[in-house]
Structure formats: C-alpha cells, structure tokens
Amino acid sequence: MSLALAARRAPAAPYRFDPDAESLSRDAIAALQLVRLQATLATAYGRVAPFRAKCNAVGARPEDLIRLEDLVRFPFTTKADLREAYPFGLFAVPREQVLRLHASSGTTGRPTVVGYTAGDLDRWAGLMARCFATAGARPGDVIHNAYGYGLFTGGLGAHDGAQRLGATVVPASGGGTERQIVLLRDFGASVLCATPSYALNIAEVAEAQGVDLRGGPLRLGMFGAEPWSGAMRAELQARLGIVARDVYGLSEIMGPGVAVECEAADGLHGWEDHFLFEVIDPATGQVLPPGAQGELVVTTLTKEALPMIRYRTRDITRLETAPCACGRNHVRIMRIAGRDDDMMIIRGVNVYPTQIEAALVGVPQASPHYLLVLERAGAMDRLTVELEPDPALPPADYARLAGAVTHQVKSLVGVTVAVVVRDPGSLPRSAGKAVRVRDLRPRL
Ligand SMILES: [Zn+2]
C-alpha cells in the first residue's frame, strides 16, 4: 500500500485540547456532574451565608440532592443577589485565597463583583483554550485579542486561554482601530477575538485604509459578549475573509469559555464537566423539557471562590442534547436569541434586536450599522430603525432604501417599523459591547 493511500485510509484524529473531557459520553457526563454538584452544594451551603438562608427558607438541604433532577428544589441566584452581597458576600473562600477580581461596569446601582482562586484561574484558562481549539485555533496561531482588558472578563479571559493553547497572543484590547489594523497586518494575526460589532468596525476601517485582510493569514474570528445574527456572521466572514465562530460566557459564571461553536456550527457546546445547564420558563421558573425555548440557567460545578447555583442568565435559548456531527456529546446551546431584558414587544409581537439585524443585513445598499429607537406612542411601543446606507448610494435613493427595509422587516419579523436613513458614518461605532437599542420609553 502506498503512503498516500495509507494516509487516506487512516485520517489524522481531529485536534482536541482536552481529548478525554471532550469525548465523554452523556452517561459519563451525568455521573461526573452528580458528584461535582453534590460537592458544590455542600460547599456553598456550608460557607455562603446568603445561599444557606435561601435554602433554609425553602427547606432544601445539600443532602437532599440524590439525582441531578433534584436540583429543581434549590433556589435560583440572580444578579440582584450579587448586588446585595457586594462586594464579597457570596465568596466561599477567605479573601486571601482570591487571586483576581473582576467587576461589571453596572450602569445602575452597585457593580457585580466576581473572584477567582488559583484553581479557578487555572480551570478558566484551560476551558478557554478548549474553546479556542474547538473553534479551530491551534498552538502556534497568532491570536489578536481586541476584547477590552480590565475589569471586564473578556480581555484577560481570552488572553489566558490563548496562552494556555500555546498561541502567540497580541493583547490589543479595544479601541485605537487604525493601530489595530497595523498590528493585525504586520504581526500576521491568524485569529481575531472581538465583539462582533467591533469586528465589523475593524473591517470597515481596514477597507477605508485600503488594507485588505482577506487572503492573508487571518482565517478565524472568535466573536462573543453580545448577541449577533447569522446574517452578521455572513457579513463578517465575507468582509474579513474568515470563518466566524460564536463564543459564550458571562462573568457571573466565569467569563468567556463557557460554550463555543465547533466546526459543525450548529449550536455552542456548553462544557458540562464544569457547568450544569437548564432552561426555564422565565415567567414561572419551571424547568422546560429539552428543546423548548426559555431562559438559560447555569450552575457551576468546579468554581471555588464563587460557586453559582442556578444562576438566571436572562439569555433566551434552547438546549440540544442529540449527538453533534463533530463527535462531542456536550450539550449544545443553540445560538442566543437575545437577552430577556432586550426583548421588545411591538404590537404584541416579541422582537429581539438580532432579528431586526438579520433583516437589515439582507437588504442590498443597507450597511450593517444600525440603531433601534424605542418609543411609547399611546399604549403601543413604536420602533424606529435608524441605519446607514452603503456609502455609494446617492441620497436621492434613500427613500427607496427605507421602503425596502420596512418591507424586509415586515416580511421576516412580522412587525411594522419606521425607517430613517442617516448619513454614512453618522451612527456611533462600537469599541466593545455595542449599544443597539435606545429606549426612550418612560420609566415605569
Ligand atoms: Zn460539535
């Protein structure tokens, strides 16, 4: 047999960062989760007074958890619990064992503070490295990290994971977009990490500078920290010449690295050896059967400093437990439809900003820069879509473009919106998490 034939018959195993953890069967995952959940509940009950009080109020004790299904007897944790315990009230270890703090920017009220032991930081780096590899990054890649560094978990979380993978990390952080493009080109970045809105900003500035990033070493985008549509994925892939993958996480649970898309790009694998995922009806708190859409609830299974029991993420999604084409059995979190807080109700129809985005991106001569303005008109909510045209479009054609967008949104989303076409370059550009909705409705 020739060497070439042998190579065809025995394809190289796909690269896995954590081959043992990533090849667990569903039964093995469940068995591991039960042991780790029992330990987490015992620790949190023993060491976190506010959690113990909430358990006692509903008569739930750690030893009551015999099966994974018994978790429904335990109370939820919310962002309000973190705020009330500000800054360290939910920590399960003495402050001296906490090696790093992160915090939300919190536009209203107290920020939420999260902490990590040495073990937590080690597992976080490992999980983020697993995410990079699952998305298609490899040791030796040049990873340009345009997530913001600082109290936000995105920058340092991706940074530590990139180093753990064995890549060369460029800690660019957010902002200074012209300089980012010089670094991307001159350092030969093969992977770009950013929010999707900032990646779009980078693509636009590169085009304006006459720098074509397509056809070079850049091949993969790891985008997250805000909901984005499939249409935006297509736009980013075309403009940057990359494969774009979705990565999910939230500070309260760990930061980036909780879930990621694999090469099948059919949902994000949530790493069930470290987290337990549920979907609930956000109105009643009832756990929904697999496949039903509702609010994602996450319990940590290996966090030491800040164990989180049944944390309500406000993210709306559904879970898929069928085997994935990639061979991994870890649950898939189907792409986040949006945050419960972001949902708009337009004439009785529930609408997420990502649905409007998906409709906009499909209209020729509309740019993907948009802002949704919500107002109250009598008893109704009224939505105005402000968008920028393709810069080449003459102003005489703006009215026709507005009509085309109204039609597209009506046919794809089912609601009637007003459309205002702004001058090219006039809407604010993202340097991190984009502000897509301006809510002018009176506060109740
Ligand atoms: Zn997969």
Side-chain angles (χ1 to χ4, degrees), residues 383-440:
L383 179 61
T384 301
V385 177
E386 297 189 12
L387 83 155
E388 292 180 19
D390 184 312
L393 189 73
D397 289 342
Y398 286 8
R400 193 180 46 74
L401 172 61
V405 169
T406 303
H407 178 78
Q408 181 86 345
V409 172
K410 178 72 182 169
S411 63
L412 290 183
V413 189
V415 295
T416 302
V417 297
V419 176
V420 176
V421 180
R422 297 282 182 208
D423 291 330
S426 63
L427 292 178
R429 297 295 191 260
S430 161
K433 290 196 187 194
V435 177
R436 297 296 200 190
V437 179
R438 184 173 292 159
D439 192 345
L440 302 178

Side-chain angles (χ1 to χ4, degrees), residues 237-307:
Q237 293 189 150
R239 290 176 77 163
L240 289 167
I242 55 170
V243 166
R245 296 275 185 249
D246 198 355
V247 59
Y248 176 77
L250 61 172
S251 301
E252 296 86 348
I253 293 303
M254 181 177 74
V258 174
V260 72
E261 284 180 317
C262 65
E263 64 269 26
D266 187 15
L268 288 76
H269 285 288
W271 303 123
E272 292 179 283
D273 45 338
H274 294 274
F275 309 102
L276 190 149
F277 302 93
E278 302 170 275
V279 164
I280 63 164
D281 179 330
T284 67
Q286 291 292 312
V287 173
L288 297 175
Q293 179 167 296
E295 180 183 345
L296 183 66
V297 171
V298 187
T299 297
T300 65
L301 300 175
T302 53
K303 284 279 292 296
E304 293 170 339
L306 186 60

Side-chain angles (χ1 to χ4, degrees), residues 16 134 260-269 323-330 332:
R16 298 277 190 266
T134 300
V260 72
E261 284 180 317
C262 65
E263 64 269 26
D266 187 15
L268 288 76
H269 285 288
C324 181
C326 74
R328 296 179 184 85
N329 295 305
H330 289 260
R332 280 173 289 152

Side-chain angles (χ1 to χ4, degrees), residues 229-232 353-363 370 408 412-413:
S229 63
M232 182 65 86
T354 48
Q355 292 175 279
I356 304 285
E357 176 184 289
L360 285 183
V361 176
V363 178
Y370 68 94
Q408 181 86 345
L412 290 183
V413 189

